[in-house]
Structure formats: C-alpha cells, structure tokens
Amino acid sequence: MAVDQAKIRKAVREILEAIGEDPDREGLVGTPDRVARMYEEIFCGLHQDPREHLKVLFADEKHEEMVVVKDIPFYSSCEHHLVPFFGKAHVVYIPKDGRLTGLSKLARVIETIARRPQLQERITKDTANIIMEELRPYGVMVVVEAEHMCMTMRGVKKPGSKTVTSAVRGVFETDALARSEAMALINLK
C-alpha cells in the first residue's frame, strides 16, 4: 500500500486547526502538502524489504574474519510520539561459507528498518536477526546509539542524552573474546 497523501494533508490541516492555528495563513498554507510528501519519504521503509539488500553476495572471497561497518548515520521516528530520533549504528559480522555481502548493503538494511515508525530496540534487534537469517554468519553484533527528541524537546527535557542498545547473535553470544574484540573495533577512533 502506498502512502495516502490526501489523507495526510487532511489530517495535518485538522491538527493545525486543533492547536488553534489558521491553516490558511501564508506560512501554513502549504504545510499539509509538505508534511504529506515528507511522511512518504521518511516512512518509505514501510514499503521495502530490508532483506533484499542482502541478496548480493561475494562468495569467491571466502573471507571468514570480522567485518565492521561503524558510524552508520540513521534518522527515524519514534512510534510513540512521531518525533525524530537519530544517531549511528554499528554492525559487526563474521561471514561463513563465503556469504560476504557489500558493505553498503549493511547500511541499507539499517536505513530501511529505520524509515518506519519505530523503536530503537527494534531497529537493533531486527537488523541483527535479518543479517543472521540472510547471511547465516558465525555471528552478528549490532550496537545503536541515538538521541530521542521525545526525551530532549518534551517530557523529561534532557538534551544530549543518548540511548545505547545492542543485539548479539551467534559467536558473539558465547565468546566473550570475540564480543570484546568487536566492541574494541567499534570504539576505535
């Protein structure tokens, strides 16, 4: 199902009226349309399958050592308040049986999952699970750090606070040394 822009425009106009604004004043007259187009863009992950990005494999390489893609920027929207949260994700995996994927594909998985009304914990967990299921590596670790506008601009109002979540699968669950090496590589400046 595609985004229903007409329905969004109508709803935004009603929200503007409900907060006491005039949706027909000069500065707001185009806002419902802009918001509708923005929602289509920022929620496009609802209509995409992140698994598709992991279909590209480089089986000839036979690389079975740690691969780390860190500081992957992402932007998402909290499903509880529909305000942004943003940060960076770090993905570590150890390929098995020649199932090596392109580095950009890992970033695309994060981006696709993040572009939905979302929870940080779900981004972390779903990324790890999808990589495990699609690439079948020895193990995967995903660490996500983010600032949530629902915590910084409203509610408790603690700007600059970060939330960190992690998901470990496979060898990273059982091998403390592998987990420690992955964390060291993530924290390497």
Side-chain angles (χ1 to χ4, degrees):
M1 179 183 131
V3 170
D4 187 339
Q5 286 197 16
K7 196 177 239 184
I8 294 170
R9 284 191 295 273
K10 181 177 185 283
V12 170
R13 183 174 176 81
E14 289 176 1
I15 288 170
L16 289 171
E17 290 170 349
I19 65 169
E21 263 292 359
D22 174 7
D24 293 318
R25 77 172 171 83
E26 183 181 15
L28 293 175
V29 75
T31 297
D33 185 54
R34 285 189 291 273
V35 172
R37 285 183 282 122
M38 176 192 70
Y39 276 7
E40 183 168 47
E41 179 182 346
I42 68 174
F43 295 131
C44 67
L46 285 166
H47 311 290
Q48 299 171 353
D49 182 357
R51 295 169 190 281
E52 289 301 312
H53 302 299
L54 299 177
K55 301 298 182 196
V56 175
L57 299 174
F58 304 107
D60 290 345
E61 291 303 315
K62 306 294 183 224
H63 182 83
E64 292 194 352
E65 301 292 329
M66 213 172 280
V67 175
V68 181
V69 180
K70 61 187 215 169
D71 299 328
I72 302 166
F74 75 90
Y75 300 88
S76 194
S77 187
C78 165
E79 69 181 32
H80 297 143
H81 300 99
L82 292 181
V83 295
F85 68 96
F86 57 93
K88 54 189 175 180
H90 316 285
V91 177
V92 182
Y93 80 109
I94 303 173
K96 180 178 174 184
D97 299 328
R99 296 184 61 78
L100 184 68
T101 193
L103 301 175
S104 69
K105 305 308 180 197
L106 299 170
R108 289 185 191 283
V109 169
I110 295 284
E111 182 175 321
T112 301
I113 293 170
R115 288 184 170 265
R116 302 168 179 189
Q118 198 54 278
L119 298 174
Q120 179 176 333
E121 296 87 344
R122 189 180 307 124
I123 292 172
T124 310
K125 171 185 59 101
D126 286 356
T127 300
N129 289 343
I130 287 168
I131 293 169
M132 276 305 281
E133 292 163 11
E134 293 300 314
L135 299 181
R136 299 185 300 277
Y138 289 107
V140 113
M141 177 187 282
V142 177
V143 177
V144 176
E145 313 171 42
E147 183 170 342
H148 293 251
M149 297 308 287
C150 60
M151 252 184 74
T152 63
M153 69 181 282
R154 58 154 308 278
V156 71
K157 296 184 180 105
K158 296 298 177 208
S161 61
K162 296 267 195 288
T163 301
V164 180
T165 52
S166 69
V168 293
R169 304 289 185 267
V171 70
F172 294 114
E173 289 179 285
T174 58
D175 186 337
L177 192 58
R179 190 169 50 252
S180 190
E181 179 184 349
M183 287 304 294
L185 291 170
I186 286 171
N187 291 320
L188 188 66
K189 296 297 173 201

mmCIF file of all heavy atoms in Angstrom, residues 32-72:
data_model
loop_
_atom_site.group_PDB
_atom_site.id
_atom_site.type_symbol
_atom_site.label_atom_id
_atom_site.label_comp_id
_atom_site.label_asym_id
_atom_site.label_seq_id
_atom_site.Cartn_x
_atom_site.Cartn_y
_atom_site.Cartn_z
ATOM 1 N N PRO A 32 0.341 21.273 4.947
ATOM 2 C CA PRO A 32 -0.208 19.920 4.806
ATOM 3 C C PRO A 32 0.411 19.145 3.639
ATOM 4 O O PRO A 32 0.708 17.955 3.770
ATOM 5 C CB PRO A 32 -1.706 20.160 4.594
ATOM 6 C CG PRO A 32 -1.963 21.447 5.330
ATOM 7 C CD PRO A 32 -0.732 22.283 5.054
ATOM 8 N N ASP A 33 0.642 19.814 2.526
ATOM 9 C CA ASP A 33 1.250 19.147 1.378
ATOM 10 C C ASP A 33 2.707 18.785 1.670
ATOM 11 O O ASP A 33 3.158 17.682 1.345
ATOM 12 C CB ASP A 33 1.166 20.037 0.138
ATOM 13 C CG ASP A 33 1.674 19.320 -1.098
ATOM 14 O OD1 ASP A 33 1.167 18.212 -1.393
ATOM 15 O OD2 ASP A 33 2.601 19.839 -1.751
ATOM 16 N N ARG A 34 3.453 19.701 2.286
ATOM 17 C CA ARG A 34 4.855 19.422 2.616
ATOM 18 C C ARG A 34 4.964 18.250 3.588
ATOM 19 O O ARG A 34 5.833 17.387 3.444
ATOM 20 C CB ARG A 34 5.530 20.667 3.204
ATOM 21 C CG ARG A 34 5.853 21.739 2.180
ATOM 22 C CD ARG A 34 6.707 22.850 2.777
ATOM 23 N NE ARG A 34 5.988 23.655 3.746
ATOM 24 C CZ ARG A 34 5.238 24.721 3.465
ATOM 25 N NH1 ARG A 34 5.120 25.122 2.200
ATOM 26 N NH2 ARG A 34 4.622 25.392 4.408
ATOM 27 N N VAL A 35 4.097 18.213 4.590
ATOM 28 C CA VAL A 35 4.123 17.124 5.567
ATOM 29 C C VAL A 35 3.771 15.796 4.892
ATOM 30 O O VAL A 35 4.410 14.771 5.156
ATOM 31 C CB VAL A 35 3.192 17.412 6.762
ATOM 32 C CG1 VAL A 35 3.065 16.196 7.673
ATOM 33 C CG2 VAL A 35 3.702 18.613 7.558
ATOM 34 N N ALA A 36 2.812 15.800 4.003
ATOM 35 C CA ALA A 36 2.427 14.573 3.295
ATOM 36 C C ALA A 36 3.603 14.026 2.488
ATOM 37 O O ALA A 36 3.891 12.823 2.518
ATOM 38 C CB ALA A 36 1.221 14.830 2.395
ATOM 39 N N ARG A 37 4.293 14.906 1.775
ATOM 40 C CA ARG A 37 5.453 14.474 0.987
ATOM 41 C C ARG A 37 6.586 13.998 1.898
ATOM 42 O O ARG A 37 7.267 13.014 1.609
ATOM 43 C CB ARG A 37 5.926 15.582 0.053
ATOM 44 C CG ARG A 37 4.989 15.756 -1.149
ATOM 45 C CD ARG A 37 5.465 16.804 -2.146
ATOM 46 N NE ARG A 37 5.154 18.137 -1.623
ATOM 47 C CZ ARG A 37 6.037 19.105 -1.391
ATOM 48 N NH1 ARG A 37 7.306 18.922 -1.640
ATOM 49 N NH2 ARG A 37 5.655 20.274 -0.920
ATOM 50 N N MET A 38 6.780 14.690 3.023
ATOM 51 C CA MET A 38 7.811 14.303 3.981
ATOM 52 C C MET A 38 7.507 12.917 4.557
ATOM 53 O O MET A 38 8.389 12.063 4.642
ATOM 54 C CB MET A 38 7.912 15.317 5.115
ATOM 55 C CG MET A 38 8.904 14.897 6.197
ATOM 56 S SD MET A 38 8.798 15.898 7.685
ATOM 57 C CE MET A 38 7.217 15.392 8.353
ATOM 58 N N TYR A 39 6.262 12.674 4.950
ATOM 59 C CA TYR A 39 5.901 11.368 5.515
ATOM 60 C C TYR A 39 6.136 10.246 4.513
ATOM 61 O O TYR A 39 6.568 9.156 4.880
ATOM 62 C CB TYR A 39 4.462 11.364 6.013
ATOM 63 C CG TYR A 39 4.294 11.920 7.407
ATOM 64 C CD1 TYR A 39 5.347 12.517 8.090
ATOM 65 C CD2 TYR A 39 3.073 11.854 8.055
ATOM 66 C CE1 TYR A 39 5.191 13.013 9.377
ATOM 67 C CE2 TYR A 39 2.901 12.354 9.341
ATOM 68 C CZ TYR A 39 3.968 12.932 9.997
ATOM 69 O OH TYR A 39 3.795 13.410 11.263
ATOM 70 N N GLU A 40 5.829 10.511 3.248
ATOM 71 C CA GLU A 40 6.086 9.491 2.234
ATOM 72 C C GLU A 40 7.577 9.156 2.183
ATOM 73 O O GLU A 40 7.963 7.991 2.072
ATOM 74 C CB GLU A 40 5.603 9.960 0.861
ATOM 75 C CG GLU A 40 5.782 8.898 -0.201
ATOM 76 C CD GLU A 40 5.050 9.246 -1.478
ATOM 77 O OE1 GLU A 40 5.162 10.401 -1.943
ATOM 78 O OE2 GLU A 40 4.357 8.356 -2.002
ATOM 79 N N GLU A 41 8.410 10.177 2.305
ATOM 80 C CA GLU A 41 9.860 9.967 2.271
ATOM 81 C C GLU A 41 10.382 9.298 3.543
ATOM 82 O O GLU A 41 11.111 8.309 3.478
ATOM 83 C CB GLU A 41 10.563 11.317 2.080
ATOM 84 C CG GLU A 41 12.066 11.227 2.048
ATOM 85 C CD GLU A 41 12.731 12.577 1.907
ATOM 86 O OE1 GLU A 41 12.055 13.576 1.560
ATOM 87 O OE2 GLU A 41 13.943 12.648 2.165
ATOM 88 N N ILE A 42 10.016 9.827 4.713
ATOM 89 C CA ILE A 42 10.629 9.313 5.940
ATOM 90 C C ILE A 42 10.061 7.969 6.382
ATOM 91 O O ILE A 42 10.690 7.280 7.184
ATOM 92 C CB ILE A 42 10.596 10.335 7.100
ATOM 93 C CG1 ILE A 42 9.175 10.593 7.595
ATOM 94 C CG2 ILE A 42 11.298 11.620 6.719
ATOM 95 C CD1 ILE A 42 9.110 11.478 8.842
ATOM 96 N N PHE A 43 8.914 7.576 5.848
ATOM 97 C CA PHE A 43 8.344 6.278 6.193
ATOM 98 C C PHE A 43 8.385 5.288 5.030
ATOM 99 O O PHE A 43 7.653 4.297 5.008
ATOM 100 C CB PHE A 43 6.913 6.439 6.712
ATOM 101 C CG PHE A 43 6.835 7.194 8.010
ATOM 102 C CD1 PHE A 43 5.935 8.241 8.167
ATOM 103 C CD2 PHE A 43 7.661 6.882 9.077
ATOM 104 C CE1 PHE A 43 5.858 8.948 9.364
ATOM 105 C CE2 PHE A 43 7.604 7.585 10.277
ATOM 106 C CZ PHE A 43 6.698 8.614 10.418
ATOM 107 N N CYS A 44 9.261 5.542 4.047
ATOM 108 C CA CYS A 44 9.326 4.662 2.873
ATOM 109 C C CYS A 44 9.758 3.243 3.232
ATOM 110 O O CYS A 44 9.484 2.307 2.482
ATOM 111 C CB CYS A 44 10.233 5.251 1.799
ATOM 112 S SG CYS A 44 11.980 5.309 2.262
ATOM 113 N N GLY A 45 10.393 3.045 4.369
ATOM 114 C CA GLY A 45 10.804 1.703 4.780
ATOM 115 C C GLY A 45 9.642 0.768 5.032
ATOM 116 O O GLY A 45 9.809 -0.459 5.012
ATOM 117 N N LEU A 46 8.446 1.339 5.255
ATOM 118 C CA LEU A 46 7.256 0.501 5.440
ATOM 119 C C LEU A 46 6.935 -0.317 4.191
ATOM 120 O O LEU A 46 6.290 -1.352 4.269
ATOM 121 C CB LEU A 46 6.042 1.378 5.780
ATOM 122 C CG LEU A 46 5.995 1.922 7.195
ATOM 123 C CD1 LEU A 46 4.954 3.033 7.301
ATOM 124 C CD2 LEU A 46 5.685 0.804 8.176
ATOM 125 N N HIS A 47 7.382 0.163 3.049
ATOM 126 C CA HIS A 47 7.037 -0.460 1.779
ATOM 127 C C HIS A 47 8.248 -1.125 1.127
ATOM 128 O O HIS A 47 8.237 -1.385 -0.069
ATOM 129 C CB HIS A 47 6.426 0.588 0.850
ATOM 130 C CG HIS A 47 5.342 1.377 1.520
ATOM 131 N ND1 HIS A 47 4.114 0.829 1.839
ATOM 132 C CD2 HIS A 47 5.325 2.644 1.998
ATOM 133 C CE1 HIS A 47 3.388 1.737 2.473
ATOM 134 N NE2 HIS A 47 4.099 2.848 2.571
ATOM 135 N N GLN A 48 9.299 -1.381 1.939
ATOM 136 C CA GLN A 48 10.515 -2.017 1.428
ATOM 137 C C GLN A 48 10.872 -3.199 2.318
ATOM 138 O O GLN A 48 10.581 -3.195 3.512
ATOM 139 C CB GLN A 48 11.671 -1.018 1.414
ATOM 140 C CG GLN A 48 11.444 0.184 0.537
ATOM 141 C CD GLN A 48 12.527 1.247 0.726
ATOM 142 O OE1 GLN A 48 13.384 1.152 1.591
ATOM 143 N NE2 GLN A 48 12.461 2.276 -0.100
ATOM 144 N N ASP A 49 11.539 -4.182 1.748
ATOM 145 C CA ASP A 49 12.004 -5.345 2.492
ATOM 146 C C ASP A 49 13.514 -5.217 2.694
ATOM 147 O O ASP A 49 14.273 -5.295 1.717
ATOM 148 C CB ASP A 49 11.675 -6.625 1.726
ATOM 149 C CG ASP A 49 12.093 -7.883 2.464
ATOM 150 O OD1 ASP A 49 12.696 -7.792 3.561
ATOM 151 O OD2 ASP A 49 11.819 -8.976 1.941
ATOM 152 N N PRO A 50 13.979 -5.016 3.938
ATOM 153 C CA PRO A 50 15.416 -4.847 4.165
ATOM 154 C C PRO A 50 16.232 -6.073 3.765
ATOM 155 O O PRO A 50 17.424 -5.963 3.465
ATOM 156 C CB PRO A 50 15.518 -4.586 5.672
ATOM 157 C CG PRO A 50 14.238 -5.045 6.255
ATOM 158 C CD PRO A 50 13.211 -4.949 5.174
ATOM 159 N N ARG A 51 15.610 -7.228 3.700
ATOM 160 C CA ARG A 51 16.311 -8.459 3.316
ATOM 161 C C ARG A 51 16.817 -8.403 1.874
ATOM 162 O O ARG A 51 17.809 -9.047 1.533
ATOM 163 C CB ARG A 51 15.385 -9.666 3.477
ATOM 164 C CG ARG A 51 14.982 -9.923 4.893
ATOM 165 C CD ARG A 51 13.858 -10.970 4.971
ATOM 166 N NE ARG A 51 13.321 -11.031 6.304
ATOM 167 C CZ ARG A 51 13.891 -11.664 7.319
ATOM 168 N NH1 ARG A 51 15.011 -12.307 7.128
ATOM 169 N NH2 ARG A 51 13.342 -11.657 8.515
ATOM 170 N N GLU A 52 16.124 -7.647 1.045
ATOM 171 C CA GLU A 52 16.511 -7.556 -0.370
ATOM 172 C C GLU A 52 17.934 -7.032 -0.536
ATOM 173 O O GLU A 52 18.616 -7.393 -1.486
ATOM 174 C CB GLU A 52 15.523 -6.673 -1.143
ATOM 175 C CG GLU A 52 14.163 -7.311 -1.336
ATOM 176 C CD GLU A 52 14.236 -8.634 -2.082
ATOM 177 O OE1 GLU A 52 14.909 -8.706 -3.132
ATOM 178 O OE2 GLU A 52 13.620 -9.603 -1.600
ATOM 179 N N HIS A 53 18.372 -6.190 0.388
ATOM 180 C CA HIS A 53 19.719 -5.617 0.283
ATOM 181 C C HIS A 53 20.805 -6.663 0.480
ATOM 182 O O HIS A 53 21.943 -6.451 0.061
ATOM 183 C CB HIS A 53 19.895 -4.481 1.287
ATOM 184 C CG HIS A 53 18.903 -3.384 1.123
ATOM 185 N ND1 HIS A 53 18.791 -2.640 -0.032
ATOM 186 C CD2 HIS A 53 17.947 -2.923 1.963
ATOM 187 C CE1 HIS A 53 17.810 -1.758 0.109
ATOM 188 N NE2 HIS A 53 17.284 -1.909 1.301
ATOM 189 N N LEU A 54 20.484 -7.757 1.134
ATOM 190 C CA LEU A 54 21.495 -8.767 1.450
ATOM 191 C C LEU A 54 21.544 -9.898 0.427
ATOM 192 O O LEU A 54 22.186 -10.916 0.652
ATOM 193 C CB LEU A 54 21.244 -9.326 2.861
ATOM 194 C CG LEU A 54 21.332 -8.284 3.971
ATOM 195 C CD1 LEU A 54 20.995 -8.901 5.315
ATOM 196 C CD2 LEU A 54 22.705 -7.629 4.017
ATOM 197 N N LYS A 55 20.904 -9.714 -0.702
ATOM 198 C CA LYS A 55 20.909 -10.738 -1.750
ATOM 199 C C LYS A 55 22.204 -10.720 -2.560
ATOM 200 O O LYS A 55 22.515 -11.675 -3.260
ATOM 201 C CB LYS A 55 19.715 -10.573 -2.694
ATOM 202 C CG LYS A 55 18.358 -10.647 -2.001
ATOM 203 C CD LYS A 55 18.117 -11.974 -1.354
ATOM 204 C CE LYS A 55 16.731 -12.011 -0.732
ATOM 205 N NZ LYS A 55 16.570 -13.089 0.214
ATOM 206 N N VAL A 56 22.961 -9.622 -2.478
ATOM 207 C CA VAL A 56 24.226 -9.513 -3.199
ATOM 208 C C VAL A 56 25.319 -10.115 -2.330
ATOM 209 O O VAL A 56 25.593 -9.646 -1.228
ATOM 210 C CB VAL A 56 24.556 -8.032 -3.521
ATOM 211 C CG1 VAL A 56 25.930 -7.913 -4.156
ATOM 212 C CG2 VAL A 56 23.485 -7.432 -4.406
ATOM 213 N N LEU A 57 25.937 -11.183 -2.835
ATOM 214 C CA LEU A 57 26.982 -11.874 -2.083
ATOM 215 C C LEU A 57 28.246 -11.986 -2.919
ATOM 216 O O LEU A 57 28.197 -12.028 -4.150
ATOM 217 C CB LEU A 57 26.513 -13.271 -1.683
ATOM 218 C CG LEU A 57 25.285 -13.344 -0.784
ATOM 219 C CD1 LEU A 57 24.854 -14.789 -0.590
ATOM 220 C CD2 LEU A 57 25.557 -12.685 0.555
ATOM 221 N N PHE A 58 29.373 -12.063 -2.218
ATOM 222 C CA PHE A 58 30.675 -12.247 -2.864
ATOM 223 C C PHE A 58 31.262 -13.557 -2.349
ATOM 224 O O PHE A 58 32.137 -13.573 -1.490
ATOM 225 C CB PHE A 58 31.598 -11.059 -2.568
ATOM 226 C CG PHE A 58 31.004 -9.748 -2.967
ATOM 227 C CD1 PHE A 58 30.537 -8.864 -2.019
ATOM 228 C CD2 PHE A 58 30.889 -9.395 -4.305
ATOM 229 C CE1 PHE A 58 29.969 -7.649 -2.374
ATOM 230 C CE2 PHE A 58 30.319 -8.188 -4.674
ATOM 231 C CZ PHE A 58 29.855 -7.316 -3.711
ATOM 232 N N ALA A 59 30.772 -14.664 -2.878
ATOM 233 C CA ALA A 59 31.126 -15.997 -2.381
ATOM 234 C C ALA A 59 32.562 -16.394 -2.697
ATOM 235 O O ALA A 59 33.134 -17.238 -2.018
ATOM 236 C CB ALA A 59 30.155 -17.026 -2.945
ATOM 237 N N ASP A 60 33.159 -15.811 -3.720
ATOM 238 C CA ASP A 60 34.524 -16.192 -4.100
ATOM 239 C C ASP A 60 35.571 -15.733 -3.091
ATOM 240 O O ASP A 60 36.678 -16.250 -3.085
ATOM 241 C CB ASP A 60 34.883 -15.608 -5.475
ATOM 242 C CG ASP A 60 34.107 -16.279 -6.602
ATOM 243 O OD1 ASP A 60 33.522 -17.360 -6.354
ATOM 244 O OD2 ASP A 60 34.082 -15.715 -7.706
ATOM 245 N N GLU A 61 35.258 -14.778 -2.273
ATOM 246 C CA GLU A 61 36.252 -14.212 -1.348
ATOM 247 C C GLU A 61 36.639 -15.160 -0.227
ATOM 248 O O GLU A 61 37.736 -15.099 0.276
ATOM 249 C CB GLU A 61 35.744 -12.893 -0.767
ATOM 250 C CG GLU A 61 35.665 -11.768 -1.760
ATOM 251 C CD GLU A 61 37.002 -11.495 -2.432
ATOM 252 O OE1 GLU A 61 38.043 -11.446 -1.753
ATOM 253 O OE2 GLU A 61 36.997 -11.321 -3.664
ATOM 254 N N LYS A 62 35.716 -15.982 0.245
ATOM 255 C CA LYS A 62 35.974 -16.929 1.338
ATOM 256 C C LYS A 62 36.493 -16.243 2.598
ATOM 257 O O LYS A 62 37.209 -16.832 3.388
ATOM 258 C CB LYS A 62 36.957 -18.034 0.914
ATOM 259 C CG LYS A 62 36.579 -18.787 -0.336
ATOM 260 C CD LYS A 62 35.320 -19.589 -0.145
ATOM 261 C CE LYS A 62 35.026 -20.392 -1.392
ATOM 262 N NZ LYS A 62 33.650 -20.345 -1.780
ATOM 263 N N HIS A 63 36.126 -14.984 2.799
ATOM 264 C CA HIS A 63 36.561 -14.225 3.974
ATOM 265 C C HIS A 63 35.744 -14.665 5.182
ATOM 266 O O HIS A 63 34.518 -14.628 5.154
ATOM 267 C CB HIS A 63 36.361 -12.726 3.725
ATOM 268 C CG HIS A 63 36.809 -11.854 4.844
ATOM 269 N ND1 HIS A 63 38.122 -11.478 5.000
ATOM 270 C CD2 HIS A 63 36.141 -11.304 5.890
ATOM 271 C CE1 HIS A 63 38.232 -10.725 6.083
ATOM 272 N NE2 HIS A 63 37.042 -10.601 6.641
ATOM 273 N N GLU A 64 36.421 -15.109 6.243
ATOM 274 C CA GLU A 64 35.738 -15.546 7.457
ATOM 275 C C GLU A 64 36.340 -14.869 8.684
ATOM 276 O O GLU A 64 36.537 -15.496 9.726
ATOM 277 C CB GLU A 64 35.752 -17.075 7.568
ATOM 278 C CG GLU A 64 34.907 -17.738 6.507
ATOM 279 C CD GLU A 64 34.611 -19.203 6.755
ATOM 280 O OE1 GLU A 64 35.187 -19.793 7.692
ATOM 281 O OE2 GLU A 64 33.791 -19.752 6.014
ATOM 282 N N GLU A 65 36.635 -13.611 8.545
ATOM 283 C CA GLU A 65 37.133 -12.786 9.646
ATOM 284 C C GLU A 65 36.117 -11.677 9.897
ATOM 285 O O GLU A 65 35.239 -11.423 9.086
ATOM 286 C CB GLU A 65 38.499 -12.179 9.294
ATOM 287 C CG GLU A 65 39.581 -13.191 8.978
ATOM 288 C CD GLU A 65 40.008 -14.020 10.179
ATOM 289 O OE1 GLU A 65 39.955 -13.498 11.318
ATOM 290 O OE2 GLU A 65 40.372 -15.192 9.986
ATOM 291 N N MET A 66 36.279 -10.985 11.011
ATOM 292 C CA MET A 66 35.337 -9.949 11.419
ATOM 293 C C MET A 66 35.247 -8.822 10.383
ATOM 294 O O MET A 66 36.262 -8.364 9.870
ATOM 295 C CB MET A 66 35.792 -9.381 12.766
ATOM 296 C CG MET A 66 34.671 -8.959 13.643
ATOM 297 S SD MET A 66 35.240 -8.503 15.307
ATOM 298 C CE MET A 66 35.424 -10.108 16.066
ATOM 299 N N VAL A 67 34.029 -8.409 10.103
ATOM 300 C CA VAL A 67 33.751 -7.249 9.237
ATOM 301 C C VAL A 67 32.987 -6.257 10.107
ATOM 302 O O VAL A 67 31.983 -6.611 10.725
ATOM 303 C CB VAL A 67 32.904 -7.650 8.008
ATOM 304 C CG1 VAL A 67 32.536 -6.418 7.192
ATOM 305 C CG2 VAL A 67 33.639 -8.679 7.153
ATOM 306 N N VAL A 68 33.475 -5.011 10.141
ATOM 307 C CA VAL A 68 32.849 -3.972 10.964
ATOM 308 C C VAL A 68 32.507 -2.785 10.080
ATOM 309 O O VAL A 68 33.374 -2.262 9.384
ATOM 310 C CB VAL A 68 33.799 -3.500 12.096
ATOM 311 C CG1 VAL A 68 33.126 -2.433 12.945
ATOM 312 C CG2 VAL A 68 34.281 -4.665 12.938
ATOM 313 N N VAL A 69 31.236 -2.390 10.103
ATOM 314 C CA VAL A 69 30.823 -1.130 9.480
ATOM 315 C C VAL A 69 30.261 -0.302 10.620
ATOM 316 O O VAL A 69 29.261 -0.666 11.237
ATOM 317 C CB VAL A 69 29.768 -1.329 8.368
ATOM 318 C CG1 VAL A 69 29.386 0.016 7.758
ATOM 319 C CG2 VAL A 69 30.292 -2.276 7.294
ATOM 320 N N LYS A 70 30.959 0.797 10.931
ATOM 321 C CA LYS A 70 30.555 1.573 12.102
ATOM 322 C C LYS A 70 30.181 2.997 11.718
ATOM 323 O O LYS A 70 30.433 3.439 10.610
ATOM 324 C CB LYS A 70 31.646 1.571 13.162
ATOM 325 C CG LYS A 70 32.953 2.180 12.741
ATOM 326 C CD LYS A 70 33.991 1.966 13.827
ATOM 327 C CE LYS A 70 34.915 3.158 13.912
ATOM 328 N NZ LYS A 70 35.756 3.137 15.071
ATOM 329 N N ASP A 71 29.534 3.645 12.654
ATOM 330 C CA ASP A 71 29.114 5.040 12.475
ATOM 331 C C ASP A 71 28.179 5.229 11.282
ATOM 332 O O ASP A 71 28.277 6.204 10.539
ATOM 333 C CB ASP A 71 30.324 5.974 12.358
ATOM 334 C CG ASP A 71 31.193 5.959 13.604
ATOM 335 O OD1 ASP A 71 30.651 5.762 14.703
ATOM 336 O OD2 ASP A 71 32.422 6.144 13.482
ATOM 337 N N ILE A 72 27.261 4.294 11.107
ATOM 338 C CA ILE A 72 26.253 4.404 10.042
ATOM 339 C C ILE A 72 25.179 5.368 10.542
ATOM 340 O O ILE A 72 24.441 5.044 11.474
ATOM 341 C CB ILE A 72 25.611 3.039 9.731
ATOM 342 C CG1 ILE A 72 26.663 2.013 9.314
ATOM 343 C CG2 ILE A 72 24.528 3.195 8.668
ATOM 344 C CD1 ILE A 72 26.152 0.565 9.320
#
